Amino acid sequence: MNYDLFLKTAVDLALQAGEIIRNNFGEDFDRGFKSCPSDLVTEVDRQSEELITLGLQKAFPEHVIIGEENEKAPETGRNSFTWYVDPLDGTTNFVYGIPFCSVSIGLCRQDRVLAGVVYDPFRRECFTASAGCGAFLNGRPVQVDKLRQTLPESLLVTGYPANKSFSERLNRIDYHRIIHRCSNLRALGSAALELAYVACGRLTGFWENTLMPWDVAAGSLMVEEAGGRVTDVDGNKLVLEPYLSIAASNGLIHDELLKFL
Ligand code: 2AM
Ligand code: CA
């Protein structure tokens, strides 16, 4: 099947949503919190999600759309085309004035990601992928970092949940042990964009706990299409379900990375 129309529609909407994010950056937007004071949300998240949701609904009325700010997730059958939308991934960065955020839109069916876009509105970098057709940055093919073959050479990235009640999952990771075994470790604050960075070889590997499907649907396809590997942190096939854990890498360091998670 050709996913061009799906991808083109998602890219158009991601670019428009990115414009909303760019125009509001550093401005006086309404803000609040969700599950706890550090779990932030803004009117910009909601505006971006509304634009994307309405656009997808108009283009594909039969499809299911699940967005981060849409509390009422519709019933999904395994056979339906399902869009996972993160209208502003990196909300904490956005609120604090750090220009590292993205729009992430991924299309899935029968537990497979078919197409995805991750758009960085600040650098105007648009990462795209569709199943079996490779991964691209602004239309040019990208591939994972094939230079680094071991953990000590690798620049890794991770992230921390906004809600501190997930600390049990956080505590499972021995950061001290990992930092001593890799070249260095980052936490950049947008899981979708971090996955896109693994896909284009800027980062060697990524892992995170307690993420949601909209954080990783598009980016996980990008890493695989760029020649990398994606699993959960135990090395099993990644399942797009709430509070998932994910490990993504250039493939070469994957088993070594999993040993320390
Ligand atoms: P967000 O900015 O869209 O909330 C930070 O390490 C990563 O974790 C970001 O991609 C952030 O996405 C995600 N994240 C943090 N808290 C989250 C939550 N409650 N639900 C979903 N994703 C979350
Ligand atoms: Ca997110």
Side-chain angles (χ1 to χ4, degrees):
M1 189 164 182
N2 187 326
Y3 307 121
D4 281 359
L5 176 66
F6 298 146
L7 190 58
K8 186 183 174 311
T9 306
V11 168
D12 283 349
L13 293 168
L15 296 185
Q16 289 175 51
E19 203 173 321
I20 296 178
I21 294 172
R22 216 170 29 240
N23 291 342
N24 281 281
F25 185 70
E27 299 293 328
D28 186 19
F29 46 81
D30 276 353
R31 58 197 79 186
F33 63 86
K34 295 187 280 185
S35 61
C36 66
S38 53
D39 187 6
L40 302 171
V41 65
T42 73
E43 66 175 309
V44 182
D45 297 65
R46 297 199 174 103
Q47 278 172 26
S48 170
E49 182 157 319
E50 191 179 356
L51 181 141
I52 296 166
T53 305
L54 290 177
L56 290 174
Q57 271 167 355
K58 191 163 167 230
F60 311 113
E62 311 291 306
H63 291 192
V64 173
I65 302 161
I66 301 179
E68 175 159 20
E69 310 312 334
N70 177 3
E71 299 286 325
K72 296 191 296 300
E75 283 291 310
T76 59
R78 271 189 88 244
N79 268 325
S80 18
F81 284 101
T82 303
W83 293 91
Y84 287 107
V85 177
D86 196 333
L88 201 181
D89 191 40
T91 304
T92 303
N93 282 348
F94 183 75
V95 167
Y96 281 78
I98 299 169
F100 192 90
C101 316
S102 62
V103 178
S104 174
I105 307 176
L107 175 65
C108 304
R109 191 184 201 189
Q110 295 178 332
D111 301 329
R112 279 187 64 218
V113 190
L114 305 176
V117 53
V118 175
Y119 179 54
D120 172 351
F122 300 107
R123 285 167 208 77
R124 295 176 198 255
E125 289 190 325
C126 186
F127 299 87
T128 54
S130 52
C133 298
F136 300 83
L137 165 52
N138 291 343
R140 290 169 177 238
V142 291
Q143 66 163 5
V144 292
D145 175 7
K146 291 293 182 194
L147 207 62
R148 281 80 183 196
Q149 308 198 356
T150 65
L151 214 50
E153 301 168 282
S154 298
L155 184 58
L156 302 180
V157 65
T158 187
Y160 318 110
N163 192 323
K164 302 301 174 279
S165 65
F166 294 133
S167 56
E168 190 198 317
R169 303 278 295 265
L170 258 183
N171 295 344
R172 266 180 40 188
I173 308 279
D174 186 346
Y175 292 90
H176 193 253
R177 201 160 84 118
I178 291 175
I179 287 166
H180 279 285
R181 280 175 174 81
C182 65
S183 173
N184 217 325
L185 178 63
R186 299 283 180 265
L188 301 175
S190 164
L193 200 47
E194 289 164 330
L195 283 163
Y197 275 29
V198 173
C200 73
R202 292 174 187 166
L203 295 163
T204 329
F206 164 74
W207 86 91
E208 189 163 346
N209 283 312
T210 64
L211 288 179
M212 302 297 270
W214 47 78
D215 294 314
V216 302
S220 61
L221 176 68
M222 232 154 262
V223 171
E224 287 180 340
E225 287 296 323
R229 189 170 158 208
V230 179
T231 62
D232 68 14
V233 295
D234 298 313
N236 303 313
K237 179 179 160 26
L238 180 71
V239 179
L240 291 177
E241 60 190 5
Y243 310 113
L244 57 84
S245 76
I246 180 171
S249 75
N250 66 350
L252 302 169
I253 63 153
H254 206 84
D255 290 334
E256 205 183 351
L257 174 63
L258 290 178
K259 272 198 279 181
F260 294 98
L261 301 183

